[in-house]
Amino acid sequence: MTDPLVYAHLGDLHLTTETEENYRDLLAIVDVIARDFAGSLDFVYLPGDNADNGTRAQYALVRRAIERLQLPVHVITGDHDMEQGSLEAFHGELGASRLPKAVDVKGVRCLFLDISGPGTGGPDFRLGAEQTAWLEAELATAAAQGTRCAIFMHTYPADLRGGGETAAINAALAAREVLLVDMGHTHYNELANDGRTIFSATRSTGQIEEGPVGFSIVSIDRRAVSWRFRTLTDEGPLVVITAPVDRRLAFDPDDPDHLPGPRCELRVSVLWPRPIASCSCVVDEGAPQPLRETSPGRWTAKLDLDGAATIVVEATDDRGATGRETIELASAADLAVERRADGSDADAVAAWEARHVLGTQLGPNRNGRKW
């Protein structure tokens, strides 16, 4: 079985000048990823609003920063990238790929969309007829091939303003195997579960209103989506339980990675450059059980759950630095919750402070400042 797809998401940058704190924060994030996680990641994702005014000078700052990453970087557009009335600088100065584009990584078809270029600037989010047709064709091809999909776009589908576009993308999500829609725009950490797809948004790097600056790590392991936020002050190995999923991210009662039975396969990715001396798990209040490393950074164990509620995994490197993650296992009642499934944040999970999901919605589109 293919190893999980694992990538880093850097929230909206909104870069202006190199003297601003958000540029220093971006360089610090890039340095952390290059030092600690580059060997564990498949790519880095920038979700739009990269340059606050869409100017060539601002894109030069973005390019200068991401060139320090020895990783593929996928960049999409946001409304601020269209502030000059076109995406000429986005492509010319930043050298970003033309959108939409499809990239296959670890058995997942990653579909990167431009919902700003078809609009007229500002938060005028549109797919356009050509891109809508492209997306439907890509999803149909993936379905015929039995390929899982993830969509990368600047905001929730419900924010699309083109006639019928929200309905079209919601219908596509309902009919196809789209496990994840990963977005920017909100400026706050948010996760939503509509009963078939996980929606995720990561805290802005450049216009931050809640909590400390950082970045998210996202994984797709078979049909399980996991999400963690790493602040710049966090230290030690980053442990990601890629399966089973936490109850907040579970939606399929027929998938043992979503609703585990009495016997469970635990799968873990440990992101860290140093050798891991030990990796173990605790089920509820039981004794620690060792995990087995199956490939570099990938660990597993077979567990007897017997009605268990939590799993805690801890990894320790050769110098004694530790990292830990906890998940709460799903029950049938968790999966029976009624969902709106309308492409909005209506199905957002409640505050989840252990994952830096605060539920504040402190951003320009809800309760935050009017940037």
Side-chain angles (χ1 to χ4, degrees):
M1 185 53 140
T2 304
D3 281 344
L5 166 64
V6 183
Y7 68 89
H9 174 144
L10 280 58
D12 298 14
L13 304 178
H14 288 282
L15 291 188
T16 53
T17 69
E18 62 184 340
T19 60
E20 294 295 323
E21 184 177 1
N22 62 348
Y23 185 60
R24 295 192 296 270
D25 286 339
L26 172 60
L27 295 180
I29 289 172
V30 165
D31 288 346
V32 166
I33 290 175
R35 182 190 70 215
D36 294 339
F37 303 124
S40 305
L41 298 174
D42 294 298
F43 60 82
V44 171
Y45 165 53
L46 302 185
D49 285 359
N50 309 286
D52 196 47
N53 307 109
T55 67
R56 285 188 171 272
Q58 291 169 356
Y59 283 121
L61 294 179
V62 180
R63 176 172 45 79
R64 188 188 309 168
I66 64 178
E67 283 177 347
R68 298 162 69 161
L69 291 166
Q70 300 300 309
L71 281 167
V73 181
H74 299 296
V75 189
I76 67 168
T77 57
D79 45 301
H80 282 257
D81 296 299
M82 272 290 290
E83 195 166 295
Q84 300 299 312
S86 78
L87 296 174
E88 180 181 352
F90 176 81
H91 295 297
E93 185 64 42
L94 181 57
S97 301
R98 298 284 169 176
L99 300 171
K101 69 176 181 180
V103 181
D104 291 320
V105 186
K106 300 283 184 66
V108 179
R109 181 155 298 166
C110 300
L111 305 173
F112 298 89
L113 304 183
D114 168 22
I115 64 171
S116 297
T120 58
D124 183 18
F125 301 122
R126 299 172 187 268
L127 279 170
E130 184 176 340
Q131 190 170 210
T132 299
W134 177 89
L135 178 61
E136 291 174 346
E138 284 289 335
L139 292 175
T141 299
Q145 297 172 344
T147 301
R148 301 156 293 155
C149 292
I151 292 176
F152 300 83
M153 57 191 294
H154 186 58
T155 189
Y156 280 100
D159 292 329
L160 293 170
R161 296 190 176 186
E165 289 183 352
T166 294
I169 198 169
N170 285 343
L173 293 176
R176 309 300 186 191
E177 184 80 330
V178 180
L179 298 175
L180 173 69
V181 176
D182 198 4
M183 308 163 294
H185 192 58
T186 66
H187 291 193
Y188 43 80
N189 288 337
E190 186 163 80
L191 296 167
N193 178 351
D194 76 354
R196 61 189 180 226
T197 299
I198 301 302
F199 296 79
S200 61
T202 294
R203 181 177 298 162
S204 174
T205 303
Q207 293 181 351
I208 191 168
E209 297 189 53
E210 58 152 35
V213 68
F215 56 95
S216 60
I217 297 290
V218 187
S219 75
I220 301 177
D221 186 353
R222 301 180 191 173
R223 299 183 66 253
V225 176
S226 298
W227 186 97
R228 292 206 61 179
F229 188 79
R230 177 89 167 188
T231 74
L232 280 175
T233 59
D234 290 338
E235 298 180 349
L238 178 59
V239 176
V240 180
I241 300 175
T242 62
V245 297
D246 185 271
R247 63 177 177 82
R248 301 163 184 85
L249 303 180
F251 54 77
D252 187 349
D254 298 319
D255 189 328
D257 287 338
H258 289 247
L259 185 62
R263 187 79 168 155
C264 169
E265 180 185 32
L266 173 67
R267 301 192 297 278
V268 175
S269 291
V270 181
L271 285 60
W272 198 236
R274 297 202 58 79
I276 299 300
S278 66
C279 186
S280 62
C281 70
V282 172
V283 177
D284 287 347
E285 301 299 324
Q289 303 177 55
L291 275 67
R292 176 174 58 90
E293 190 171 23
T294 57
S295 61
R298 315 299 184 196
W299 298 75
T300 188
K302 297 289 188 180
L303 303 180
D304 291 313
L305 296 182
D306 191 24
T310 64
I311 298 175
V312 181
V313 175
E314 182 173 281
T316 304
D317 73 9
D318 60 343
R319 293 183 177 177
T322 62
R324 177 181 298 176
E325 183 178 19
T326 301
I327 61 167
E328 300 174 21
L329 296 169
S331 67
D334 292 314
L335 277 63
V337 173
E338 187 175 351
R339 316 281 183 175
R340 283 269 298 277
D342 61 0
S344 76
D345 62 2
D347 295 309
V349 306
W352 190 2
E353 292 192 9
R355 298 290 175 95
H356 295 273
V357 176
L358 306 183
T360 58
Q361 295 192 321
L362 284 178
N365 313 297
R366 289 293 184 269
N367 308 310
R369 293 161 55 188
K370 302 303 179 185
W371 295 91

